[in-house]
Amino acid sequence: MNSNVLTEIPGFPPFDPTDPVENAVITRLAGNWHRRATVKRKEPELEDLFEVDRPDYPEHLVPFVGHPVWEALDPEVRSRILSWAWLGYNKHTVLAEQRVVNPAFAYVIEGEFPSLGGPALETSLAQAMVDEQYHTLMHLNASTITRQKRNITLPDTVLPAPHLVQRLAELRDGCSESWEKKLTTLAFATVSETSISAYLHLLSNDRDIQVINSTTVALHNRDEICHASITGELAKTVYDFLSKDQQRFFVDTLITGLEAFVANDYGTWHRILTMHGVPRVDEMIAEVQHDANRKNLVRDFSGLRSLLSDMDLLGDVDWAWEDGN
């Protein structure tokens, strides 16, 4: 990886981080972060937003809807499972921030990518990391209220790590070179940040579920447009300074990351269903996994597709983009 002179981030003009005047201008722009960051806004009163009669998670997003086993469950059991589906959604969101996105941002700040750097960029990334920590707090708070209102005493630790996080750890463990580990982390973070809005939109505009839940997700989503732009530009800049083999590795890992991000997390579902004594769990999951119409939870791939199009790489990847946007 070579050094780069100019750094480009959407919303900012290309700038030389070593030039004191250019750097001062961009630093001032980065200082406007306080005007948009959710962390600077007043939180809603969570207790006041809770409505006992509303479900905590949209049943139509459950991959087993329509399956005889699911449909035969007592409505009270299904409601309890939906509460745990919301807790699992929060855990996925929190660990995606903590174990996927922030480690990639930290790599940049720590100078692990020589093509990236400079005080303004580091400030922007540090601010994004603060956003991510606050998102974590919002989702933890929402889970806490759900536990209190639904009388759930078991901790989230009974659920496995999300599939996305497990897949990243598995790939990193299989890397023999340091650059492979770093590019794998950056690729998964790029996918996560360019796709997170599609994931959040699954709940943010849902008017039927618990208001506190859709509100939490909507607040989170306000910051993610900026983050998607930042990670996209990081990916573009790093890519240009990679060797051909490293570029191929990075692009392949982006698609692997997308597969992991959009998939239904059947490991988490298995644990939730088993906890609630659902019969024939393995059989139901096996049948649903072979149903192509139920394969992915997220079907809007436009974030990564747009990035790959900007990088003129759409023709180099094997992905059924027509299934999404």
Side-chain angles (χ1 to χ4, degrees):
M1 301 184 191
N2 303 314
S3 295
N4 192 17
V5 175
L6 297 182
T7 298
E8 298 186 30
I9 304 174
F12 300 87
F15 70 99
D16 177 0
T18 65
D19 184 293
V21 178
E22 291 188 16
N23 197 53
V25 172
I26 301 302
T27 299
R28 180 59 180 269
L29 290 176
N32 289 331
W33 163 74
H34 70 276
R35 296 180 182 174
R36 69 163 179 84
T38 295
V39 67
K40 297 291 185 179
R41 299 192 181 105
K42 185 180 183 297
E43 289 183 81
E45 295 296 330
L46 302 186
E47 294 278 354
D48 295 341
L49 289 173
F50 197 90
E51 300 178 33
V52 176
D53 294 334
R54 287 179 181 265
D56 294 311
Y57 186 85
E59 186 170 359
H60 70 87
L61 294 181
V62 175
F64 315 109
V65 169
H67 191 281
V69 171
W70 176 265
E71 298 302 327
L73 293 177
D74 184 274
E76 184 176 340
V77 174
R78 287 210 301 266
S79 177
R80 193 80 169 174
I81 290 174
L82 292 179
S83 294
W84 272 97
W86 166 241
L87 297 180
Y89 181 94
N90 287 335
K91 182 167 184 173
H92 171 104
T93 304
V94 167
L95 292 189
E97 308 281 32
Q98 299 299 320
R99 299 190 187 178
V100 180
V101 177
N102 275 346
F105 287 172
Y107 271 144
V108 178
I109 291 175
E110 293 164 7
E112 294 296 329
F113 293 104
S115 56
L116 298 170
L121 176 60
E122 292 167 4
T123 297
S124 295
L125 289 177
Q127 290 170 347
M129 292 173 77
V130 171
D131 290 348
E132 306 295 15
Q133 295 293 359
Y134 196 69
H135 299 157
T136 291
L137 179 59
M138 287 195 300
H139 285 271
L140 290 176
N141 286 342
S143 287
T144 296
I145 297 298
T146 300
R147 292 176 175 288
Q148 293 172 351
K149 296 295 186 178
R150 303 300 188 191
N151 296 315
I152 296 174
T153 57
L154 287 175
D156 289 353
T157 52
V158 300
L159 300 180
H163 174 62
L164 175 73
V165 172
Q166 291 191 44
R167 190 74 177 107
L168 173 58
E170 174 187 306
L171 291 175
R172 281 179 54 87
D173 287 345
C175 293
S176 57
E177 301 289 340
S178 174
W179 65 265
E180 293 176 326
K181 290 181 183 291
K182 289 186 285 187
L183 288 181
T184 297
T185 302
L186 180 62
F188 268 62
T190 301
V191 168
S192 184
E193 290 296 84
T194 56
S195 305
I196 188 66
S197 283
Y199 181 72
L200 296 173
H201 274 311
L202 294 174
L203 271 67
S204 63
N205 296 322
D206 195 306
R207 298 184 181 277
D208 297 323
I209 64 170
Q210 190 63 238
V211 176
I212 181 177
N213 299 354
S214 58
T215 300
T216 294
V217 176
L219 285 171
H220 181 172
N221 205 24
R222 288 180 187 173
D223 287 335
E224 291 301 341
I225 295 176
C226 177
H227 295 184
S229 297
I230 291 173
T231 53
E233 290 304 311
L234 294 180
K236 291 177 187 178
T237 302
V238 168
Y239 181 85
D240 287 341
F241 286 84
L242 300 176
S243 68
K244 291 298 183 182
D245 288 343
Q246 289 173 333
Q247 288 179 339
R248 184 71 259 168
F249 178 90
F250 184 58
V251 173
D252 288 345
T253 308
L254 283 172
I255 298 304
T256 301
L258 183 61
E259 291 172 347
F261 187 90
V262 304
N264 276 296
D265 191 344
Y266 288 108
T268 294
W269 276 115
H270 188 281
R271 185 68 55 84
I272 291 173
L273 296 174
T274 302
M275 286 165 47
H276 290 84
V278 176
R280 298 164 51 201
V281 170
D282 291 332
E283 176 186 337
M284 179 169 64
I285 289 179
E287 291 175 356
V288 168
Q289 282 183 305
H290 285 90
D291 184 345
N293 292 324
R294 303 175 187 253
K295 180 179 180 181
N296 294 323
L297 172 62
V298 179
R299 302 189 181 190
D300 176 359
F301 321 127
S302 58
L304 187 63
R305 180 180 186 175
S306 177
L307 174 61
L308 291 174
S309 178
D310 289 346
M311 298 171 71
D312 197 25
L313 293 172
L314 276 181
D316 296 339
V317 301
D318 182 15
W319 186 266
W321 300 108
E322 65 273 13
D323 288 348
N325 294 321

